[in-house]
Amino acid sequence: MESTFSSPAEAALQREAGAAGLLTPLDDLDRVYELERVVGFVRNLGCQRVALQFPDQLLGDAGAVAARLERATGSKMFILGDTAYGSCCVDVLGAEQAGAQALVHFGPACLSPPARPLPVAFVLGQRSVALELCAKAFEAQNPDPTVPVVLLSEPACAHALEALATLLRPRYSDLVVSSPAFPLPVDSLNPDPELLERFGRQFPLAPGRCLEEYGAFYVGGSESISDPDHDPDLSRLLLGWAPGQSFFSCCPETGQTRDEGARAGRLRARRHYLVERARDARVVGLLAGTLGVAQHREALAHLRNLTQAAGKRSYVLALGRPTPAKLANFPEVDVFVLLACPLGALAPQPSGSFFRPVLTPCELEAACNPAWPPPGLAPHLTHYADLLPGSPFHVPLPPPDSELWDTPDVSLITGDLRPPPAWKPSSDPGCSALTPRPQLELAESSPAASFLSSRSWQGLQPRLGQTPVTGAVSGRRGIAIAYEDEGSS
């Protein structure tokens, strides 16, 4: 029964940790993992217990890194190698179980703020970048020196963007260099209001300028990747970037460039399809894909209110990492919405695929909120926090008497006319009183019960008191392909 709704305990011990890759030479550990900066971080806090979080591909170096840090700081190090959801998020729950006073996150990170106050240091890595080759590739794709362009990169290449911009600035006058937007430390001041923060990055734009005016040049990725859609960091940039602007990616080692316009078009087309599937859905499954990112409770309450306002039934499911086998236990659900960090929500699906589509919170917002999107906003938001009140992108639901709720809508998948919502949002969010109905009228029915009643087989029937009492007898032995009493054929 345990494996039906969650991963069994034995799976964590039997699962392979992925490709371990080549171990980093001992002479390069200090540079690759920035151990000097990590030692300063631990000493400044005076921590005696520190958690070190590694993704699967870096676990081969975890023991050597922890040993060096213990010798340099005198503190006890704990290695976190298996997170509950995604390795890009800070595992504050695992750190608390180890009694850690601080955490150091190694490898790619979504840079989402943690749900609980905990000092965190990020080590994104330092991938080698051929600056001369990347500069020539940039000049080949941007022959006009006056065109506005933003330099982007994967987290491991962020250290080389300023050096690349130094080579390009003598010719290009309107060049913006992005930088990782690390979560603010505990008890820190407000962020710099002059820096625009989006997609986990900071953009030092000039006053009066907006990000939609700029093209993009992304340093990262690899030519050996057979399917480039398996990069969630690049996917969220392509979805959120202005459709009318150019977007080029560049391999940091070879300088080989690729026009990402076609891929961005595929991602937006799939997003429009998922929005239509969400509008046709009657039952929505809300998957709790994170417990360690800030405002996940508020986002879950927002999505539940959103589905209720659109006349849909929602179920909250906490299943750990979603897999096709887990979600197949809920056939009455029409679509699932994964409430996770930006990288986790856009992570590639397993090869077996899901029997129902898995959406992001932004796609559910576009399907259920008739006021979405207002003009001038980005075509796609990748973080659920951007949908909540207090965000500049928040769009409140229309009032109950708004004509937007009654606007005729036709499904682009089935071609049928969608009915208006069965009920509208209440003006009092705390009111849950039932509306009186005529006698003998079914006031509310469960979608799960309706789905079960439509199936030809509804499970074993107890038939209590309708069958005679008999003694137990021996059943058939063997397996279905060859029982013992069937003989050999």
Side-chain angles (χ1 to χ4, degrees):
M1 188 66 180
E2 179 187 8
S3 60
T4 304
F5 298 99
S6 62
S7 299
E10 294 80 4
L13 300 178
Q14 299 174 357
R15 185 175 69 241
E16 295 182 1
L22 297 176
L23 297 179
T24 305
L26 296 179
D27 296 339
D28 296 337
L29 281 180
D30 292 350
R31 177 186 60 83
V32 174
Y33 291 97
E34 305 179 40
L35 297 187
E36 183 178 354
R37 181 169 68 89
V38 175
V39 169
F41 168 77
V42 175
R43 289 178 175 174
N44 292 337
L45 294 176
C47 300
Q48 299 301 319
R49 301 169 67 90
V50 181
L52 307 179
Q53 182 177 344
F54 290 85
D56 291 346
Q57 63 270 20
L58 298 181
L59 281 177
D61 295 332
V65 172
R68 288 198 178 187
L69 290 177
E70 285 186 345
R71 290 195 301 267
T73 63
S75 303
K76 183 66 177 178
M77 301 293 165
F78 297 86
I79 299 174
L80 305 180
D82 183 32
T83 58
Y85 296 99
S87 60
C88 62
C89 300
V90 175
D91 190 7
V92 293
L93 300 180
E96 288 183 353
Q97 292 177 357
Q101 301 167 307
L103 184 145
V104 182
H105 185 284
F106 296 93
C110 61
L111 302 182
S112 301
R116 304 179 187 181
L118 181 71
V120 180
F122 292 91
V123 179
L124 303 178
Q126 295 187 3
R127 182 179 176 183
S128 61
V129 179
L131 297 178
E132 295 292 341
L133 295 178
C134 293
K136 293 180 180 179
F138 182 93
E139 295 173 353
Q141 299 297 340
N142 299 277
D144 185 3
T146 62
V147 63
V149 182
V150 173
L151 286 180
L152 304 166
S153 74
E154 66 178 38
C157 298
H159 65 96
L161 285 189
E162 279 295 344
L164 179 60
T166 303
L167 299 177
L168 298 174
R169 281 199 176 103
R171 181 180 177 187
Y172 294 89
S173 58
D174 199 353
L175 192 65
V176 174
V177 181
S178 64
S179 59
F182 295 104
L184 294 177
V186 182
D187 299 332
S188 62
L189 300 177
N190 294 330
D192 190 350
E194 297 182 358
L195 295 177
L196 173 66
E197 186 172 328
R198 200 180 300 178
F199 312 121
R201 295 164 171 85
Q202 293 179 341
F203 302 90
L205 300 180
R209 304 295 299 274
C210 60
L211 194 60
E212 288 73 17
E213 302 175 4
Y214 287 81
F217 188 83
Y218 179 87
V219 179
S222 174
E223 298 177 0
S224 60
I225 298 179
S226 58
D227 188 1
D229 293 343
H230 285 183
D231 187 353
D233 181 59
L234 182 56
S235 296
R236 70 167 170 174
L237 287 170
L238 294 176
L239 281 170
W241 211 260
Q245 298 295 338
S246 61
F247 199 111
F248 295 96
S249 63
C250 176
C251 179
E253 288 86 5
T254 64
Q256 184 70 28
T257 59
R258 177 187 304 173
D259 188 354
E260 299 291 348
R263 180 188 171 194
R266 293 196 306 268
L267 292 174
R268 295 190 186 102
R270 174 167 176 77
R271 174 183 177 270
H272 291 314
Y273 167 76
L274 294 177
V275 170
E276 288 296 315
R277 289 294 299 268
R279 288 172 178 167
D280 290 340
R282 296 181 52 218
V283 183
V284 179
L286 303 178
L287 303 177
T290 180
L291 297 177
V293 179
Q295 295 185 300
H296 68 276
R297 296 179 182 271
E298 294 83 352
L300 185 60
H302 173 74
L303 295 182
R304 296 185 64 181
N305 182 44
L306 194 65
T307 54
Q308 180 183 3
K312 306 179 187 297
R313 177 66 62 87
S314 64
Y315 293 96
V316 180
L317 307 174
L319 307 177
R321 296 183 182 181
T323 62
K326 293 179 184 178
L327 301 189
N329 291 284
F330 307 96
E332 66 273 13
V333 176
D334 297 320
V335 295
F336 294 95
V337 179
L338 180 58
L339 185 65
C341 70
L343 299 185
L346 296 174
Q349 299 180 356
S351 57
S353 185
F354 296 99
F355 83 111
R356 292 286 190 268
V358 180
L359 288 67
T360 64
C362 179
E363 291 157 355
L364 183 67
E365 181 86 23
C368 298
N369 190 348
W372 179 272
L377 293 186
H380 185 84
L381 301 176
T382 55
H383 195 5
Y384 60 75
D386 295 331
L387 307 175
L388 301 179
S391 169
F393 301 102
H394 172 67
V395 179
L397 290 171
D401 56 350
S402 174
E403 297 180 355
L404 295 176
W405 295 105
D406 301 324
T407 302
D409 189 16
V410 177
S411 172
L412 299 180
I413 298 178
T414 63
D416 298 334
L417 181 65
R418 296 192 185 99
W423 64 83
K424 298 179 181 180
S426 172
S427 57
D428 183 8
C431 178
S432 58
L434 297 178
T435 303
R437 301 286 182 89
Q439 193 175 5
L440 301 180
E441 181 181 350
L442 186 61
E444 185 178 357
S445 63
S446 170
S450 301
F451 181 84
L452 180 62
S453 62
S454 65
R455 301 183 65 174
S456 59
W457 188 79
Q458 301 178 7
L460 299 177
Q461 302 296 329
R463 303 183 64 185
L464 298 177
Q466 302 179 20
T467 56
V469 178
T470 60
V473 296
S474 299
R476 307 177 73 180
R477 298 174 60 87
I479 59 177
I481 194 174
Y483 290 104
E484 292 181 357
D485 58 349
E486 289 182 344
S488 60
S489 56

